[in-house]
Amino acid sequence: MDAQAHAARTMWNQLHDLWTMTPRCQRSLARMDATLRQARKEIDWYAVLPAQAAQAVLKTYVQAWKNCWDGRVGEPNFKSRMRTAMSVDIPQGRDLQIKRVHRRWGMVNIPKIGRVRFRWTKDLPVGKRANKDNRITGARLIKDDLGWHIAFRIQTLQPQPKPHQGPDLGIDAGVNLPLALSDGNHQDHGRPARLLDGTADRDKWLNPSEKAKLIRLERRAAHRNGFRKPKERHSNRLKHTYDQIKQLRARATRRATDWQHQTTTRIARTYGTVVVEQLTITNMVKSARGTIMEPGKNVAQKAGLNRSIAQEAWGRTVMMLTYKTARYGGTLHKVPAPNTSLRCSACGFITPGSREDQATFVCKNPDCGFEANADWNAARNILHLYRMGHALVPAAGRAVVRRTRGVKPATAR
């Protein structure tokens, strides 16, 4: 599997080189397909990758350029060996020959590898349950720090969901309170964002024994790395220690993602309209280090806040809510973020000094005096902005895409 993944990545890079070096008037899918077939005959290690998987790489690359021309994503680029996720496509479902051998395990046939056992975690249309409208059309092998995984592509008929008649909901994403809801039914994963000394807990999704093991592994890696000379390759023992650290990190990420899936599914089933803030997270997690001429202030505190924001993965939560609300007949809207945490949700005024305490909002307006949790107050303001007609995103939950000016290449016709 590793050899196939490396061959697919290298094939992508060579297709990218061929595409960029070819004049625009000569770029075409047929020309690249002929070049790919000739390369498979002349380059020996291309034979490791099945022919269908090689064609899937070509189709994915061409589709990446089409997405770029439509303005949805940027241009395809080079895939590095260290930073690219290893994956292989199996585009034809008939080659899989899936069979369930146990309540928790199944067998699948992978081209040029053979029969492989996999963990049965989802219901699959196999055997008598498979038909023309409900069948497996392919799969994708993906490798992370915990090993190889397989994701099946299923073609099925889904009924059009009826409009969700649930109540409206405003959500404010935070660090201490992950998801504050406007109706007071806050969603908390029970993992503290800060330690007793006030620093950010970067390993909050690990239990105490796993945290202790992680500390031992990091110390062991630092000790073994001290014996390595400059520009010398890592030893096998050091690589094994790094792999163990990556496995613990991946386990924590999987737990966080699982909590997000369960929470967003529960919200999409309960509420008909979900309103969130339009946040630019990349700007929020910028470093406060500054420059040599103008050094920043509270750099360590800002770095800890950035790590806490990155751990909560607010963008992934919004992405899950986007497609899950549409699946259950609901809608997702976004409203402007400025002053949602500074405005009083009771009187509507912005009074200086109302957020002296980060966890509590106390309105300094003499005629109001409203006091509540700061995140809950922000969630109420978010919902109020939507009801006042300040939504930024259409009801489908997708941002408006505009094509950049320019002439499309001849192959796009």
Side-chain angles (χ1 to χ4, degrees):
M1 292 184 185
D2 290 348
Q4 289 189 12
H6 286 306
R9 179 187 57 82
T10 308
M11 186 176 294
W12 172 285
N13 293 334
Q14 294 185 350
L15 288 173
H16 183 62
D17 291 340
L18 176 63
W19 182 274
T20 53
M21 290 187 298
T22 303
R24 289 189 175 184
C25 59
Q26 299 180 8
R27 295 174 182 174
S28 64
L29 179 61
R31 178 185 178 89
M32 298 188 69
D33 180 58
T35 306
L36 179 62
R37 293 177 183 271
Q38 185 66 23
R40 286 181 58 84
K41 297 179 181 178
E42 298 178 358
I43 303 177
D44 296 337
W45 50 268
Y46 265 172
V48 177
L49 191 66
Q52 294 82 2
Q55 291 294 322
V57 175
L58 175 59
K59 293 179 181 179
T60 304
Y61 182 79
V62 175
Q63 184 63 38
W65 274 110
K66 293 181 180 179
N67 296 337
C68 175
W69 296 334
D70 293 337
R72 292 193 291 266
V73 295
E75 295 184 359
N77 51 17
F78 181 84
K79 289 188 176 182
S80 64
R81 182 184 180 94
M82 302 302 297
R83 297 186 178 183
T84 304
M86 300 178 64
S87 60
V88 181
D89 264 343
I90 306 177
Q92 296 182 357
R94 64 174 180 267
D95 297 336
L96 298 175
Q97 302 177 9
I98 303 173
K99 182 179 180 181
R100 190 164 188 172
V101 297
H102 190 263
R103 182 172 63 91
R104 296 183 178 180
W105 295 95
M107 297 291 291
V108 61
N109 182 63
I110 299 178
K112 294 199 173 185
I113 293 178
R115 301 291 289 174
V116 178
R117 186 178 66 170
F118 68 94
R119 181 81 175 206
W120 198 288
T121 58
K122 295 288 184 179
D123 292 333
L124 300 175
V126 296
K128 297 181 179 180
R129 297 181 55 188
N131 52 52
K132 183 177 64 174
D133 298 330
N134 188 23
R135 59 192 178 90
I136 297 177
T137 60
R140 185 177 180 86
L141 301 173
I142 307 171
K143 185 180 182 181
D144 61 5
D145 296 323
L146 294 176
W148 279 97
H149 310 275
I150 184 168
F152 297 100
R153 289 190 297 270
I154 301 176
Q155 176 182 340
T156 183
L157 293 178
Q158 292 286 347
Q160 186 69 21
K162 298 180 180 180
H164 202 299
Q165 302 299 328
D168 300 341
L169 177 70
I171 299 180
D172 177 69
V175 175
N176 295 324
L177 185 59
L179 295 178
L181 308 188
S182 58
D183 60 355
N185 186 21
H186 307 311
Q187 303 296 318
D188 190 3
H189 46 58
R191 309 277 180 164
R194 299 282 175 177
L195 298 174
L196 296 178
D197 57 357
T199 59
D201 187 5
R202 56 180 302 190
D203 306 318
K204 60 185 177 182
W205 289 99
L206 299 177
N207 55 42
S209 61
E210 292 172 337
K211 288 183 180 180
K213 181 180 178 181
L214 180 61
I215 293 175
R216 292 196 304 269
L217 291 174
E218 289 178 343
R219 291 176 178 175
R220 185 183 304 169
H223 175 72
R224 291 176 175 174
N225 195 30
F227 295 97
R228 189 172 64 92
K229 298 179 181 179
K231 298 183 180 180
E232 185 181 4
R233 298 183 62 181
H234 298 292
S235 63
N236 292 333
R237 290 184 178 182
L238 184 58
K239 290 181 180 179
H240 178 66
T241 305
Y242 283 150
D243 291 340
Q244 289 179 306
I245 294 175
K246 291 179 181 179
Q247 291 175 4
L248 288 175
R249 300 289 188 193
R251 189 178 304 173
T253 303
R254 180 172 294 185
R255 290 173 182 172
T257 307
D258 178 69
W259 179 85
Q260 285 181 312
H261 273 294
Q262 295 186 22
T263 304
T264 53
T265 301
R266 184 164 53 251
I267 291 175
R269 288 177 175 176
T270 307
Y271 302 94
T273 302
V274 180
V275 188
V276 297
E277 292 178 297
Q278 178 72 30
L279 297 176
T280 308
I281 303 177
T282 54
N283 295 336
M284 298 176 63
V285 297
K286 284 186 177 179
S287 175
R289 185 176 303 172
T291 61
I292 298 178
M293 302 300 297
E294 296 180 359
K297 298 180 180 180
N298 300 325
V299 179
Q301 292 83 345
K302 183 61 169 64
L305 178 62
N306 294 344
R307 285 193 294 267
S308 300
I309 294 175
Q311 274 194 329
E312 294 301 332
W314 297 340
R316 188 169 57 197
T317 301
V318 174
M319 179 196 65
M320 293 180 182
L321 286 173
T322 301
Y323 72 83
K324 289 183 180 181
T325 51
R327 178 185 300 172
Y328 292 102
T331 55
L332 178 77
H333 299 270
K334 294 182 180 181
V335 296
N339 298 325
T340 54
S341 59
L342 300 178
R343 182 181 293 108
C344 178
S345 60
C347 65
F349 285 93
I350 300 176
T351 309
S354 299
R355 285 298 304 274
E356 294 179 353
D357 185 5
Q358 292 295 325
T360 307
F361 180 89
V362 181
C363 183
K364 297 300 182 180
N365 185 4
D367 299 332
C368 180
F370 177 73
E371 182 177 353
N373 180 274
D375 296 331
W376 180 54
N377 176 74
R380 294 180 59 183
N381 287 328
I382 292 171
L383 181 59
H384 180 70
L385 286 175
Y386 163 73
R387 290 175 174 174
M388 293 298 294
H390 294 283
L392 299 176
V393 178
R398 296 182 180 179
V400 177
V401 177
R402 297 182 182 272
R403 174 182 294 279
T404 57
R405 293 185 178 180
V407 181
K408 293 167 57 177
T411 56
R413 303 192 188 100

